[in-house]
Amino acid sequence: MYDPIFAKSFSKFERKRFGFCAFSISLIVALSIYSTFKPCLHPLSILGDAVNLQLSIDAIEDKLGFNNTAIEKTEVEPIYCILKPMADCCKIEGDVRIRANSSTVFFVTSGINVSAGNNSWRVQPYARKVNLGAMKRVKNWTVTLANNKDDIPMCTKNHSFPAILFSVGGYSGNHFHDFSDLVIPIYSTSLRFKRDVHFLTTDTKPWWVSKFRGLLNKLSRHEIVDIDEGKEVHCYTKVVVGLKFYKELKINPSKSRNNELSMYNFRQFLRQTYSLERGKAIKLKKGEKKKPRLMIISRKKTRLVTNVAEITRLARKLGFEVIVDEANHSTNLSKFAQIVNSCDVLMGVHGAGLTNMVFLPDNAVLIQIIPFGGIDKFARTDFGEPSDGMNLKYLEYKIKITESSLSKRYPLDHPVIKDAISLRIKGWDALNKIYLDQQNVTIDLHRFKGTLATAMEILHH
Ligand SMILES: *[C@@H]1O[C@H](CO)[C@@H](O)[C@H](O)[C@H]1NC(C)=O
Ligand SMILES: *[C@@H]1O[C@H](CO)[C@@H](O)[C@H](O)[C@H]1NC(C)=O
Ligand SMILES: *[C@@H]1O[C@H](CO)[C@@H](O)[C@H](O)[C@H]1NC(C)=O
Ligand SMILES: *[C@@H]1O[C@H](CO)[C@@H](O)[C@H](O)[C@H]1NC(C)=O
Ligand SMILES: *[C@@H]1O[C@H](CO)[C@@H](O)[C@H](O)[C@H]1NC(C)=O
Ligand SMILES: *[C@@H]1O[C@H](CO)[C@@H](O)[C@H](O)[C@H]1NC(C)=O
Ligand SMILES: *[C@@H]1O[C@H](CO)[C@@H](O)[C@H](O)[C@H]1NC(C)=O
Ligand SMILES: *[C@@H]1O[C@H](CO)[C@@H](O)[C@H](O)[C@H]1NC(C)=O
Ligand SMILES: *[C@@H]1O[C@H](CO)[C@@H](O)[C@H](O)[C@H]1NC(C)=O
């Protein structure tokens, strides 16, 4: 079956060359970009010295000739490996054997002379390859062609349905990355198999699997297998190693057959999975007394809003019913999703909690409060741009330095305040510590009133 994400189809010879070249080039580019653009930092990658290169990815892809639109419609090829800057993904059809103890996927073929070139690909099956910090927690897998009897492992388990192998390492556990790097890519990669697919997890975190078990079970009728455990050699006739990735919290609708893949359908899927009742936000009519619900995501450790109580009072005065909440590791996701879905407006300071926008009804409003420190672009990439595909209205409230706790800590002519951009060039740690971890926000109610009024107005249309 033809699948556009694997559109790079090559003649057998070119294909072998491509695997090696693409890998070398992407490694070189990744390394050089890592050093050149280190200041392009990603605020949500909270766990380390992470680098996000998403903004430059389109440019890199063009340079490397990763032109997904250049579709060569040849006959179906048995193996496609597309090694993109953000995510590796190999689709293999035929005699495929997975030997976990060496993290190797064998593609047994007699049609290719395996001694004629490089026949193996190093694949990290997690969709945030450019974050070197995340990838430290993602196992290297090898996809290899094999036609020498001595190299081919014996099957100990045969399966008649396809498998998808992915890593639960990386940044899992951060709500944003759970959805952006895992849930949406898993959905995009597995939907076409109509639940007849085996999920093979590597770098497995059992708590992650249980947190999303309900959702995973809607995508696969089979048991989820921790592939790193046990000594089995699992054999399949169709395997996908890695996940499809498009953009943060986005699905590329043009890459699906029958238009089945879209954020619209993904949100419908979430509504079914978590029994979310509301498809549409409240539609206010003039003179009506109905109150729209506003949820304030209240961060507890960093980037706090210090005057949530005052904002709550203001919002109530403007006619909102207000809920203040934040999910944590022990929150029942289904229950939390239902609370979010009952709201018409979701607001919070830039951070993983805003990912809950996926549960909002259509036409609801997302208000992102952008802290001081020049992270507007990231903020917009993470939540502004995705809101469009989710049928949400997006409002941004960029704080002034007077609303930031940084103004109390540094004199106004200090580089942290005067020169945020050049300070960021010093690297991730400086940005992370100062602008993301050492900044609380006290919202100016006079300024913010306008934003809440706009949200109310949107709900009237
Ligand atoms: C990609 O390839 C298509 C078809 O060959 C071509 O029309 C398009 O201009 C190319 N895009 C880029 C960015 O090179
Ligand atoms: C993996 O298991 C096979 C037997 O199934 C054994 O021959 C091989 O040496 C093992 N490899 C490693 C790296 O342990
Ligand atoms: C496979 O390739 C090697 C190296 O190019 C060559 O020596 C050998 O003859 C080839 N074998 C076949 C069966 O074509
Ligand atoms: C093939 O390329 C990989 C890097 O992608 C390298 O690790 C491996 O040694 C190469 N194998 C051969 C047989 O040259
Ligand atoms: C994966 O391989 C790369 C290149 O060989 C290496 O730098 C990296 O540390 C490996 N990752 C893990 C998790 O072993
Ligand atoms: C799996 O299938 C192969 C080929 O059909 C067969 O040779 C092998 O015995 C089977 N292995 C198991 C464990 O059923
Ligand atoms: C986690 O959030 C729930 C509400 O969703 C709250 O009841 C609980 O106390 C919180 N736990 C921690 C450790 O903050
Ligand atoms: C989580 O919440 C849902 C909906 O409120 C409920 O049906 C389910 O039993 C809860 N799960 C757990 C483990 O408490
Ligand atoms: C932000 O507020 C929290 C809670 O009051 C406090 O623990 C933290 O030290 C504050 N951070 C800054 C940078 O003021």
Side-chain angles (χ1 to χ4, degrees), residues 135-196:
M135 298 320 271
K136 282 184 195 148
R137 289 180 289 273
V138 176
K139 213 176 245 121
N140 288 314
W141 279 74
T142 306
V143 174
T144 187
L145 303 181
N147 66 3
N148 180 346
K149 277 204 176 61
D150 301 334
D151 301 340
I152 302 170
M154 289 275 287
C155 298
T156 61
K157 281 216 166 141
N158 289 334
H159 304 277
S160 58
F161 38 82
I164 299 174
L165 191 160
F166 59 89
S167 169
V168 186
Y171 284 136
S172 61
N174 170 299
H175 208 42
F176 173 79
H177 291 292
D178 284 346
F179 277 86
S180 185
D181 307 354
L182 284 157
V183 171
I184 292 173
I186 290 168
Y187 173 84
S188 303
T189 312
S190 67
L191 188 66
R192 57 192 301 246
F193 297 121
K194 305 200 180 334
R195 294 189 70 225
D196 210 15

Side-chain angles (χ1 to χ4, degrees), residues 197-447:
V197 61
H198 220 172
F199 287 144
L200 308 176
T201 60
T202 180
D203 312 306
T204 306
K205 295 171 178 168
W207 58 264
W208 193 91
V209 175
S210 20
K211 180 173 175 189
F212 288 102
R213 189 178 299 281
L215 187 145
L216 296 171
N217 286 346
K218 290 246 174 207
L219 292 168
S220 166
R221 74 177 86 250
H222 302 287
E223 193 193 344
I224 299 160
V225 173
D226 177 352
I227 189 74
D228 303 331
E229 288 291 314
K231 301 202 177 343
E232 303 286 357
V233 175
H234 290 272
C235 295
Y236 298 92
T237 53
K238 193 184 246 176
V239 170
V240 181
V241 184
L243 298 170
K244 291 182 187 181
F245 178 86
Y246 176 50
K247 284 179 182 165
E248 273 87 351
L249 303 182
K250 276 182 153 184
I251 289 171
N252 187 350
S254 71
K255 297 274 172 172
S256 89
R257 298 167 309 151
N258 319 323
N259 300 320
E260 66 178 354
L261 277 183
S262 63
M263 278 309 281
Y264 178 83
N265 286 349
F266 173 69
R267 275 158 48 81
Q268 294 293 351
F269 167 77
L270 291 180
R271 283 170 196 165
Q272 283 166 12
T273 304
Y274 296 119
S275 312
L276 309 181
E277 284 170 7
R278 295 170 84 221
K280 286 207 155 64
I282 197 169
K283 206 168 176 179
L284 298 169
K285 294 200 189 80
K286 266 213 173 102
E288 228 176 351
K289 281 273 181 294
K290 271 198 240 164
K291 281 181 189 246
R293 279 157 74 90
L294 164 72
M295 180 181 229
I296 302 176
I297 297 282
S298 64
R299 295 175 60 89
K300 299 244 160 45
K301 291 200 181 104
T302 56
R303 276 165 279 152
L304 263 82
V305 176
T306 60
N307 57 342
V308 169
E310 278 97 331
I311 293 165
T312 303
R313 239 174 282 138
L314 171 69
R316 287 198 177 125
K317 228 193 287 171
L318 290 174
F320 288 100
E321 187 186 329
V322 181
I323 297 165
V324 181
D325 211 340
E326 196 198 19
N328 56 44
H329 281 293
S330 50
T331 305
N332 176 334
L333 185 59
S334 180
K335 211 162 149 187
F336 196 78
Q338 287 167 10
I339 298 172
V340 176
N341 181 255
S342 75
C343 294
D344 305 288
V345 182
L346 178 73
M347 66 167 270
V349 178
H350 175 76
L354 294 184
T355 313
N356 290 302
M357 69 197 278
V358 296
F359 304 124
L360 285 171
D362 286 12
N363 305 329
V365 182
L366 174 72
I367 303 174
Q368 174 166 219
I369 296 164
I370 302 187
F372 186 81
I375 60 159
D376 315 20
K377 247 188 197 165
F378 291 112
R380 224 160 278 151
T381 304
D382 292 337
F383 303 112
E385 287 164 22
S387 59
D388 207 25
M390 298 189 209
N391 272 331
L392 302 175
K393 303 289 186 294
Y394 173 70
L395 298 176
E396 218 167 78
Y397 180 83
K398 195 175 158 181
I399 72 158
K400 289 212 156 121
I401 183 62
T402 48
E403 298 169 86
S404 167
S405 63
L406 292 173
S407 68
K408 295 190 189 79
R409 191 160 169 169
Y410 298 94
L412 290 180
D413 58 356
H414 192 280
V416 160
I417 289 172
K418 233 178 61 187
D419 212 2
I421 305 289
S422 66
L423 187 79
R424 287 172 61 219
I425 289 168
K426 288 191 184 154
W428 168 254
D429 285 344
L431 171 73
N432 191 19
K433 284 207 180 79
I434 297 174
Y435 298 116
L436 297 174
D437 294 350
Q438 295 175 6
Q439 175 171 206
N440 288 339
V441 169
T442 306
I443 289 176
D444 177 337
L445 297 180
H446 281 290
R447 278 188 75 212

